[in-house]
Amino acid sequence: MNPSVMVTGLWKYYGKHLALRELSLTVEEGSIYGLIGPNGAGKTTSLSILAGLVSPTAGSVLILGMDVRPNRRELVSRVGFASPQLSFFDYLTGAELMVTCGLMHGLKVGEAKSRMKDVLALLDLEEAAGHYLYQYSYGMRQKLGLACALIHAPRVLLLDEPFIGLDPTSIYRISRTLKQISAHGRTVVLTSHNLALVERLCDRVGILHEGTLKREIDRPAAGTQAAEAGGQTGLECALWEVVGTPEFEDLKWI
């Protein structure tokens, strides 16, 4: 298979703070790759660099064989990105934002509106489409961000914490959609703290800790049954091996 994403020797400093240390990874075409790790491990920074929104201090990123850099037109129609950290224009309606995103990614107006209807139905946002974004709940904003990332059918989809704030129905539908995207030869890179979903969806998982890729695991769901006998998923066991098992003390007053 051909690599869709190639990251080589990536470093990122924010001032004196080291966010990424010599990150290198390859994501094959038609696969779903998951990044897990504690808060502050560098997951969001990694995806932001892949999306061309943040410049690395050193290293390189290739997506579909092209160097990633801010505002590279050749990648705009080929890459989709969603993150709960992205802000929306609150004076737009959900429908206006989706059509605008479609146009920005190279769709014609009619095609953007047609696809918008499909994605709104997928995420149960039809009734909210005419509402201004300041009226949206957190979960609705999260779903709208995913809709905007999907509307142009990108060849590479970058999703930062895509399941936060979603109801079970939306999680089910998004999970099925990601599998469909992968089956059609497109590539997904996602971050999530929901280890059960990562284990179920991903073909390969990387564990980030303190800005360093500590371990990669192929087909993580394969080790689930044995791990669950001990009350933990395979990814949980692997994560605690890397970052250390969290300390825990009972609350004496409970």
Side-chain angles (χ1 to χ4, degrees):
M1 298 182 68
N2 297 319
S4 287
V5 178
M6 292 186 66
V7 178
T8 307
L10 208 60
W11 291 73
K12 180 60 183 177
Y13 281 91
Y14 293 105
K16 294 183 179 180
H17 173 69
L18 178 62
L20 289 176
R21 181 194 300 270
E22 206 168 358
L23 174 66
S24 296
L25 58 86
T26 299
V27 183
E28 299 294 338
E29 185 179 37
S31 67
I32 302 177
Y33 187 100
L35 276 175
I36 65 171
N39 290 335
K43 304 184 298 297
T44 297
T45 294
S46 299
L47 284 197
S48 298
I49 292 173
L50 265 60
L53 300 178
V54 173
S55 297
T57 304
S60 65
V61 178
L62 294 178
I63 290 184
L64 305 174
M66 293 177 275
D67 287 310
V68 173
R69 58 176 183 267
N71 301 317
R72 179 154 191 180
R73 295 179 62 87
E74 298 92 334
L75 286 173
V76 168
S77 63
R78 295 176 173 90
V79 176
F81 178 62
S83 171
Q85 297 194 25
L86 292 179
S87 299
F88 293 142
F89 295 105
D90 283 346
Y91 55 83
L92 294 178
T93 66
E96 288 171 341
L97 181 64
M98 284 197 66
V99 172
T100 299
C101 286
L103 296 177
M104 290 174 59
H105 287 92
L107 299 181
K108 296 185 182 301
V109 174
E111 188 176 22
K113 289 183 176 181
S114 175
R115 291 187 181 186
M116 176 189 69
K117 293 178 182 178
D118 293 337
V119 182
L120 289 175
L122 176 73
L123 295 172
D124 286 329
L125 286 175
E126 295 130 305
E127 292 186 7
H131 298 166
Y132 289 105
L133 298 184
Y134 73 82
Q135 298 173 296
Y136 277 43
S137 67
Y138 179 85
M140 291 166 65
R141 283 174 172 261
Q142 179 76 339
K143 290 195 284 188
L144 186 64
L146 291 170
C148 290
L150 286 169
I151 193 170
H152 58 295
R155 287 182 58 189
V156 176
L157 184 59
L158 309 172
L159 301 178
D160 185 26
E161 292 291 349
F163 306 112
I164 286 182
L166 297 191
D167 57 89
T169 298
S170 295
I171 290 175
Y172 174 82
R173 289 175 176 172
I174 287 295
S175 298
R176 290 287 299 269
T177 300
L178 295 182
K179 284 293 191 180
Q180 180 187 16
I181 288 170
S182 173
H184 284 105
R186 301 175 189 271
T187 304
V188 180
V189 182
L190 62 85
T191 74
S192 180
H193 291 301
N194 190 325
L195 299 185
L197 278 173
V198 170
E199 199 161 49
R200 191 166 77 228
L201 286 172
C202 294
D203 303 295
R204 189 170 175 84
V205 175
I207 300 177
L208 271 177
H209 184 46
E210 296 177 342
T212 302
L213 185 64
K214 297 290 189 179
R215 185 182 301 180
E216 288 187 298
I217 303 168
D218 287 315
R219 303 288 176 182
T224 299
Q225 186 173 0
E228 283 183 345
Q232 295 181 331
T233 69
L235 277 186
E236 281 182 295
C237 293
L239 181 62
W240 304 146
E241 287 174 5
V242 170
V243 307
T245 303
E247 296 181 359
F248 175 79
E249 291 186 11
D250 291 330
L251 294 175
K252 295 181 176 60
W253 46 267
I254 289 182

mmCIF file with all atom_site columns, all heavy atoms in Angstrom, residues 6 8 50 57 63 73 93 117 129 132 136 140 154 162 193 199 203 233:
data_model
loop_
_atom_site.group_PDB
_atom_site.id
_atom_site.type_symbol
_atom_site.label_atom_id
_atom_site.label_alt_id
_atom_site.label_comp_id
_atom_site.label_asym_id
_atom_site.label_entity_id
_atom_site.label_seq_id
_atom_site.pdbx_PDB_ins_code
_atom_site.Cartn_x
_atom_site.Cartn_y
_atom_site.Cartn_z
_atom_site.occupancy
_atom_site.B_iso_or_equiv
_atom_site.pdbx_formal_charge
_atom_site.auth_seq_id
_atom_site.auth_comp_id
_atom_site.auth_asym_id
_atom_site.auth_atom_id
_atom_site.pdbx_PDB_model_num
ATOM 1   N N   . MET A 1 6   ? 3.230   11.002 5.705  1.00 0.00 ? 6   MET A N   1
ATOM 2   C CA  . MET A 1 6   ? 4.578   10.668 6.151  1.00 0.00 ? 6   MET A CA  1
ATOM 3   C C   . MET A 1 6   ? 5.118   11.827 6.984  1.00 0.00 ? 6   MET A C   1
ATOM 4   O O   . MET A 1 6   ? 5.246   12.952 6.492  1.00 0.00 ? 6   MET A O   1
ATOM 5   C CB  . MET A 1 6   ? 5.501   10.405 4.965  1.00 0.00 ? 6   MET A CB  1
ATOM 6   C CG  . MET A 1 6   ? 5.177   9.145  4.183  1.00 0.00 ? 6   MET A CG  1
ATOM 7   S SD  . MET A 1 6   ? 6.398   8.799  2.888  1.00 0.00 ? 6   MET A SD  1
ATOM 8   C CE  . MET A 1 6   ? 7.851   8.467  3.894  1.00 0.00 ? 6   MET A CE  1
ATOM 9   N N   . THR A 1 8   ? 8.294   13.040 9.352  1.00 0.00 ? 8   THR A N   1
ATOM 10  C CA  . THR A 1 8   ? 9.702   12.714 9.549  1.00 0.00 ? 8   THR A CA  1
ATOM 11  C C   . THR A 1 8   ? 10.377  13.744 10.446 1.00 0.00 ? 8   THR A C   1
ATOM 12  O O   . THR A 1 8   ? 10.422  14.934 10.111 1.00 0.00 ? 8   THR A O   1
ATOM 13  C CB  . THR A 1 8   ? 10.453  12.652 8.198  1.00 0.00 ? 8   THR A CB  1
ATOM 14  O OG1 . THR A 1 8   ? 9.778   11.762 7.310  1.00 0.00 ? 8   THR A OG1 1
ATOM 15  C CG2 . THR A 1 8   ? 11.886  12.185 8.400  1.00 0.00 ? 8   THR A CG2 1
ATOM 16  N N   . LEU A 1 50  ? -0.143  18.694 10.722 1.00 0.00 ? 50  LEU A N   1
ATOM 17  C CA  . LEU A 1 50  ? -0.551  17.937 9.540  1.00 0.00 ? 50  LEU A CA  1
ATOM 18  C C   . LEU A 1 50  ? -1.558  18.714 8.699  1.00 0.00 ? 50  LEU A C   1
ATOM 19  O O   . LEU A 1 50  ? -1.569  18.618 7.468  1.00 0.00 ? 50  LEU A O   1
ATOM 20  C CB  . LEU A 1 50  ? -1.164  16.593 9.954  1.00 0.00 ? 50  LEU A CB  1
ATOM 21  C CG  . LEU A 1 50  ? -0.244  15.378 9.972  1.00 0.00 ? 50  LEU A CG  1
ATOM 22  C CD1 . LEU A 1 50  ? 0.911   15.571 10.937 1.00 0.00 ? 50  LEU A CD1 1
ATOM 23  C CD2 . LEU A 1 50  ? -1.021  14.111 10.329 1.00 0.00 ? 50  LEU A CD2 1
ATOM 24  N N   . THR A 1 57  ? 8.812   23.397 14.141 1.00 0.00 ? 57  THR A N   1
ATOM 25  C CA  . THR A 1 57  ? 10.127  23.991 14.375 1.00 0.00 ? 57  THR A CA  1
ATOM 26  C C   . THR A 1 57  ? 11.172  23.319 13.497 1.00 0.00 ? 57  THR A C   1
ATOM 27  O O   . THR A 1 57  ? 12.089  23.966 12.982 1.00 0.00 ? 57  THR A O   1
ATOM 28  C CB  . THR A 1 57  ? 10.518  23.853 15.863 1.00 0.00 ? 57  THR A CB  1
ATOM 29  O OG1 . THR A 1 57  ? 9.495   24.456 16.667 1.00 0.00 ? 57  THR A OG1 1
ATOM 30  C CG2 . THR A 1 57  ? 11.848  24.533 16.147 1.00 0.00 ? 57  THR A CG2 1
ATOM 31  N N   . ILE A 1 63  ? 1.771   14.880 2.792  1.00 0.00 ? 63  ILE A N   1
ATOM 32  C CA  . ILE A 1 63  ? 0.439   14.311 2.648  1.00 0.00 ? 63  ILE A CA  1
ATOM 33  C C   . ILE A 1 63  ? 0.167   14.134 1.162  1.00 0.00 ? 63  ILE A C   1
ATOM 34  O O   . ILE A 1 63  ? 0.291   15.092 0.386  1.00 0.00 ? 63  ILE A O   1
ATOM 35  C CB  . ILE A 1 63  ? -0.636  15.202 3.305  1.00 0.00 ? 63  ILE A CB  1
ATOM 36  C CG1 . ILE A 1 63  ? -0.498  15.145 4.826  1.00 0.00 ? 63  ILE A CG1 1
ATOM 37  C CG2 . ILE A 1 63  ? -2.031  14.765 2.890  1.00 0.00 ? 63  ILE A CG2 1
ATOM 38  C CD1 . ILE A 1 63  ? -1.561  15.907 5.582  1.00 0.00 ? 63  ILE A CD1 1
ATOM 39  N N   . ARG A 1 73  ? -2.602  25.358 -1.757 1.00 0.00 ? 73  ARG A N   1
ATOM 40  C CA  . ARG A 1 73  ? -3.865  25.206 -2.466 1.00 0.00 ? 73  ARG A CA  1
ATOM 41  C C   . ARG A 1 73  ? -4.107  23.769 -2.913 1.00 0.00 ? 73  ARG A C   1
ATOM 42  O O   . ARG A 1 73  ? -5.245  23.295 -2.934 1.00 0.00 ? 73  ARG A O   1
ATOM 43  C CB  . ARG A 1 73  ? -3.895  26.141 -3.679 1.00 0.00 ? 73  ARG A CB  1
ATOM 44  C CG  . ARG A 1 73  ? -3.875  27.620 -3.316 1.00 0.00 ? 73  ARG A CG  1
ATOM 45  C CD  . ARG A 1 73  ? -3.887  28.489 -4.574 1.00 0.00 ? 73  ARG A CD  1
ATOM 46  N NE  . ARG A 1 73  ? -5.082  28.292 -5.350 1.00 0.00 ? 73  ARG A NE  1
ATOM 47  C CZ  . ARG A 1 73  ? -6.226  28.948 -5.153 1.00 0.00 ? 73  ARG A CZ  1
ATOM 48  N NH1 . ARG A 1 73  ? -6.318  29.829 -4.176 1.00 0.00 ? 73  ARG A NH1 1
ATOM 49  N NH2 . ARG A 1 73  ? -7.273  28.717 -5.911 1.00 0.00 ? 73  ARG A NH2 1
ATOM 50  N N   . THR A 1 93  ? -25.381 30.918 10.063 1.00 0.00 ? 93  THR A N   1
ATOM 51  C CA  . THR A 1 93  ? -26.175 29.747 10.410 1.00 0.00 ? 93  THR A CA  1
ATOM 52  C C   . THR A 1 93  ? -25.347 28.494 10.110 1.00 0.00 ? 93  THR A C   1
ATOM 53  O O   . THR A 1 93  ? -24.335 28.553 9.404  1.00 0.00 ? 93  THR A O   1
ATOM 54  C CB  . THR A 1 93  ? -27.475 29.687 9.597  1.00 0.00 ? 93  THR A CB  1
ATOM 55  O OG1 . THR A 1 93  ? -27.155 29.475 8.209  1.00 0.00 ? 93  THR A OG1 1
ATOM 56  C CG2 . THR A 1 93  ? -28.288 30.961 9.771  1.00 0.00 ? 93  THR A CG2 1
ATOM 57  N N   . LYS A 1 117 ? -27.151 18.505 2.786  1.00 0.00 ? 117 LYS A N   1
ATOM 58  C CA  . LYS A 1 117 ? -28.368 17.824 3.223  1.00 0.00 ? 117 LYS A CA  1
ATOM 59  C C   . LYS A 1 117 ? -28.066 16.417 3.716  1.00 0.00 ? 117 LYS A C   1
ATOM 60  O O   . LYS A 1 117 ? -28.609 15.977 4.732  1.00 0.00 ? 117 LYS A O   1
ATOM 61  C CB  . LYS A 1 117 ? -29.384 17.790 2.071  1.00 0.00 ? 117 LYS A CB  1
ATOM 62  C CG  . LYS A 1 117 ? -29.918 19.156 1.675  1.00 0.00 ? 117 LYS A CG  1
ATOM 63  C CD  . LYS A 1 117 ? -30.880 19.038 0.500  1.00 0.00 ? 117 LYS A CD  1
ATOM 64  C CE  . LYS A 1 117 ? -31.384 20.406 0.073  1.00 0.00 ? 117 LYS A CE  1
ATOM 65  N NZ  . LYS A 1 117 ? -32.296 20.309 -1.108 1.00 0.00 ? 117 LYS A NZ  1
ATOM 66  N N   . ALA A 1 129 ? -30.128 23.591 11.151 1.00 0.00 ? 129 ALA A N   1
ATOM 67  C CA  . ALA A 1 129 ? -29.348 24.155 10.046 1.00 0.00 ? 129 ALA A CA  1
ATOM 68  C C   . ALA A 1 129 ? -29.595 25.645 9.854  1.00 0.00 ? 129 ALA A C   1
ATOM 69  O O   . ALA A 1 129 ? -28.687 26.386 9.467  1.00 0.00 ? 129 ALA A O   1
ATOM 70  C CB  . ALA A 1 129 ? -29.659 23.404 8.750  1.00 0.00 ? 129 ALA A CB  1
ATOM 71  N N   . TYR A 1 132 ? -28.551 30.271 14.080 1.00 0.00 ? 132 TYR A N   1
ATOM 72  C CA  . TYR A 1 132 ? -27.224 30.876 14.183 1.00 0.00 ? 132 TYR A CA  1
ATOM 73  C C   . TYR A 1 132 ? -26.353 30.046 15.129 1.00 0.00 ? 132 TYR A C   1
ATOM 74  O O   . TYR A 1 132 ? -26.845 29.413 16.069 1.00 0.00 ? 132 TYR A O   1
ATOM 75  C CB  . TYR A 1 132 ? -27.332 32.316 14.683 1.00 0.00 ? 132 TYR A CB  1
ATOM 76  C CG  . TYR A 1 132 ? -27.922 33.255 13.658 1.00 0.00 ? 132 TYR A CG  1
ATOM 77  C CD1 . TYR A 1 132 ? -29.235 33.718 13.781 1.00 0.00 ? 132 TYR A CD1 1
ATOM 78  C CD2 . TYR A 1 132 ? -27.167 33.662 12.559 1.00 0.00 ? 132 TYR A CD2 1
ATOM 79  C CE1 . TYR A 1 132 ? -29.777 34.562 12.837 1.00 0.00 ? 132 TYR A CE1 1
ATOM 80  C CE2 . TYR A 1 132 ? -27.709 34.511 11.608 1.00 0.00 ? 132 TYR A CE2 1
ATOM 81  C CZ  . TYR A 1 132 ? -29.007 34.959 11.750 1.00 0.00 ? 132 TYR A CZ  1
ATOM 82  O OH  . TYR A 1 132 ? -29.543 35.798 10.804 1.00 0.00 ? 132 TYR A OH  1
ATOM 83  N N   . TYR A 1 136 ? -26.086 27.162 19.122 1.00 0.00 ? 136 TYR A N   1
ATOM 84  C CA  . TYR A 1 136 ? -25.732 25.745 19.143 1.00 0.00 ? 136 TYR A CA  1
ATOM 85  C C   . TYR A 1 136 ? -25.145 25.351 20.495 1.00 0.00 ? 136 TYR A C   1
ATOM 86  O O   . TYR A 1 136 ? -24.362 26.084 21.091 1.00 0.00 ? 136 TYR A O   1
ATOM 87  C CB  . TYR A 1 136 ? -24.695 25.442 18.051 1.00 0.00 ? 136 TYR A CB  1
ATOM 88  C CG  . TYR A 1 136 ? -25.267 25.209 16.669 1.00 0.00 ? 136 TYR A CG  1
ATOM 89  C CD1 . TYR A 1 136 ? -26.287 26.017 16.165 1.00 0.00 ? 136 TYR A CD1 1
ATOM 90  C CD2 . TYR A 1 136 ? -24.786 24.200 15.855 1.00 0.00 ? 136 TYR A CD2 1
ATOM 91  C CE1 . TYR A 1 136 ? -26.798 25.813 14.903 1.00 0.00 ? 136 TYR A CE1 1
ATOM 92  C CE2 . TYR A 1 136 ? -25.290 23.985 14.585 1.00 0.00 ? 136 TYR A CE2 1
ATOM 93  C CZ  . TYR A 1 136 ? -26.304 24.796 14.115 1.00 0.00 ? 136 TYR A CZ  1
ATOM 94  O OH  . TYR A 1 136 ? -26.816 24.593 12.865 1.00 0.00 ? 136 TYR A OH  1
ATOM 95  N N   . MET A 1 140 ? -23.650 20.119 19.431 1.00 0.00 ? 140 MET A N   1
ATOM 96  C CA  . MET A 1 140 ? -24.059 20.508 18.083 1.00 0.00 ? 140 MET A CA  1
ATOM 97  C C   . MET A 1 140 ? -22.895 21.159 17.337 1.00 0.00 ? 140 MET A C   1
ATOM 98  O O   . MET A 1 140 ? -22.709 20.931 16.128 1.00 0.00 ? 140 MET A O   1
ATOM 99  C CB  . MET A 1 140 ? -25.261 21.443 18.149 1.00 0.00 ? 140 MET A CB  1
ATOM 100 C CG  . MET A 1 140 ? -26.539 20.769 18.629 1.00 0.00 ? 140 MET A CG  1
ATOM 101 S SD  . MET A 1 140 ? -27.819 21.948 19.094 1.00 0.00 ? 140 MET A SD  1
ATOM 102 C CE  . MET A 1 140 ? -28.175 22.720 17.517 1.00 0.00 ? 140 MET A CE  1
ATOM 103 N N   . PRO A 1 154 ? -12.755 14.524 1.637  1.00 0.00 ? 154 PRO A N   1
ATOM 104 C CA  . PRO A 1 154 ? -11.289 14.619 1.529  1.00 0.00 ? 154 PRO A CA  1
ATOM 105 C C   . PRO A 1 154 ? -10.635 13.249 1.448  1.00 0.00 ? 154 PRO A C   1
ATOM 106 O O   . PRO A 1 154 ? -11.166 12.255 1.977  1.00 0.00 ? 154 PRO A O   1
ATOM 107 C CB  . PRO A 1 154 ? -10.892 15.336 2.826  1.00 0.00 ? 154 PRO A CB  1
ATOM 108 C CG  . PRO A 1 154 ? -11.975 14.976 3.793  1.00 0.00 ? 154 PRO A CG  1
ATOM 109 C CD  . PRO A 1 154 ? -13.235 14.930 2.963  1.00 0.00 ? 154 PRO A CD  1
ATOM 110 N N   . PRO A 1 162 ? -12.874 13.610 17.886 1.00 0.00 ? 162 PRO A N   1
ATOM 111 C CA  . PRO A 1 162 ? -14.144 13.737 17.159 1.00 0.00 ? 162 PRO A CA  1
ATOM 112 C C   . PRO A 1 162 ? -15.378 13.273 17.928 1.00 0.00 ? 162 PRO A C   1
ATOM 113 O O   . PRO A 1 162 ? -16.496 13.593 17.530 1.00 0.00 ? 162 PRO A O   1
ATOM 114 C CB  . PRO A 1 162 ? -13.924 12.847 15.923 1.00 0.00 ? 162 PRO A CB  1
ATOM 115 C CG  . PRO A 1 162 ? -12.909 11.843 16.366 1.00 0.00 ? 162 PRO A CG  1
ATOM 116 C CD  . PRO A 1 162 ? -11.996 12.587 17.298 1.00 0.00 ? 162 PRO A CD  1
ATOM 117 N N   . HIS A 1 193 ? -9.563  10.262 23.554 1.00 0.00 ? 193 HIS A N   1
ATOM 118 C CA  . HIS A 1 193 ? -9.379  9.654  24.867 1.00 0.00 ? 193 HIS A CA  1
ATOM 119 C C   . HIS A 1 193 ? -10.311 8.467  25.055 1.00 0.00 ? 193 HIS A C   1
ATOM 120 O O   . HIS A 1 193 ? -10.236 7.792  26.088 1.00 0.00 ? 193 HIS A O   1
ATOM 121 C CB  . HIS A 1 193 ? -9.646  10.687 25.966 1.00 0.00 ? 193 HIS A CB  1
ATOM 122 C CG  . HIS A 1 193 ? -8.615  11.762 26.042 1.00 0.00 ? 193 HIS A CG  1
ATOM 123 N ND1 . HIS A 1 193 ? -7.276  11.499 26.264 1.00 0.00 ? 193 HIS A ND1 1
ATOM 124 C CD2 . HIS A 1 193 ? -8.714  13.110 25.926 1.00 0.00 ? 193 HIS A CD2 1
ATOM 125 C CE1 . HIS A 1 193 ? -6.601  12.630 26.296 1.00 0.00 ? 193 HIS A CE1 1
ATOM 126 N NE2 . HIS A 1 193 ? -7.445  13.620 26.082 1.00 0.00 ? 193 HIS A NE2 1
ATOM 127 N N   . GLU A 1 199 ? -9.759  1.529  19.836 1.00 0.00 ? 199 GLU A N   1
ATOM 128 C CA  . GLU A 1 199 ? -9.427  0.116  19.673 1.00 0.00 ? 199 GLU A CA  1
ATOM 129 C C   . GLU A 1 199 ? -10.295 -0.534 18.606 1.00 0.00 ? 199 GLU A C   1
ATOM 130 O O   . GLU A 1 199 ? -9.824  -1.365 17.817 1.00 0.00 ? 199 GLU A O   1
ATOM 131 C CB  . GLU A 1 199 ? -9.604  -0.586 21.014 1.00 0.00 ? 199 GLU A CB  1
ATOM 132 C CG  . GLU A 1 199 ? -8.885  -1.907 21.127 1.00 0.00 ? 199 GLU A CG  1
ATOM 133 C CD  . GLU A 1 199 ? -8.701  -2.315 22.570 1.00 0.00 ? 199 GLU A CD  1
ATOM 134 O OE1 . GLU A 1 199 ? -9.686  -2.265 23.329 1.00 0.00 ? 199 GLU A OE1 1
ATOM 135 O OE2 . GLU A 1 199 ? -7.576  -2.655 22.945 1.00 0.00 ? 199 GLU A OE2 1
ATOM 136 N N   . ASP A 1 203 ? -6.696  0.838  12.647 1.00 0.00 ? 203 ASP A N   1
ATOM 137 C CA  . ASP A 1 203 ? -5.808  -0.213 12.148 1.00 0.00 ? 203 ASP A CA  1
ATOM 138 C C   . ASP A 1 203 ? -4.448  -0.155 12.836 1.00 0.00 ? 203 ASP A C   1
ATOM 139 O O   . ASP A 1 203 ? -3.759  -1.167 12.942 1.00 0.00 ? 203 ASP A O   1
ATOM 140 C CB  . ASP A 1 203 ? -5.614  -0.058 10.638 1.00 0.00 ? 203 ASP A CB  1
ATOM 141 C CG  . ASP A 1 203 ? -6.933  -0.089 9.886  1.00 0.00 ? 203 ASP A CG  1
ATOM 142 O OD1 . ASP A 1 203 ? -7.589  -1.141 9.902  1.00 0.00 ? 203 ASP A OD1 1
ATOM 143 O OD2 . ASP A 1 203 ? -7.304  0.945  9.299  1.00 0.00 ? 203 ASP A OD2 1
ATOM 144 N N   . THR A 1 233 ? -8.885  -2.868 28.698 1.00 0.00 ? 233 THR A N   1
ATOM 145 C CA  . THR A 1 233 ? -8.687  -3.124 27.274 1.00 0.00 ? 233 THR A CA  1
ATOM 146 C C   . THR A 1 233 ? -7.190  -3.211 26.987 1.00 0.00 ? 233 THR A C   1
ATOM 147 O O   . THR A 1 233 ? -6.354  -2.786 27.785 1.00 0.00 ? 233 THR A O   1
ATOM 148 C CB  . THR A 1 233 ? -9.289  -2.010 26.411 1.00 0.00 ? 233 THR A CB  1
ATOM 149 O OG1 . THR A 1 233 ? -8.529  -0.810 26.596 1.00 0.00 ? 233 THR A OG1 1
ATOM 150 C CG2 . THR A 1 233 ? -10.745 -1.753 26.782 1.00 0.00 ? 233 THR A CG2 1
#
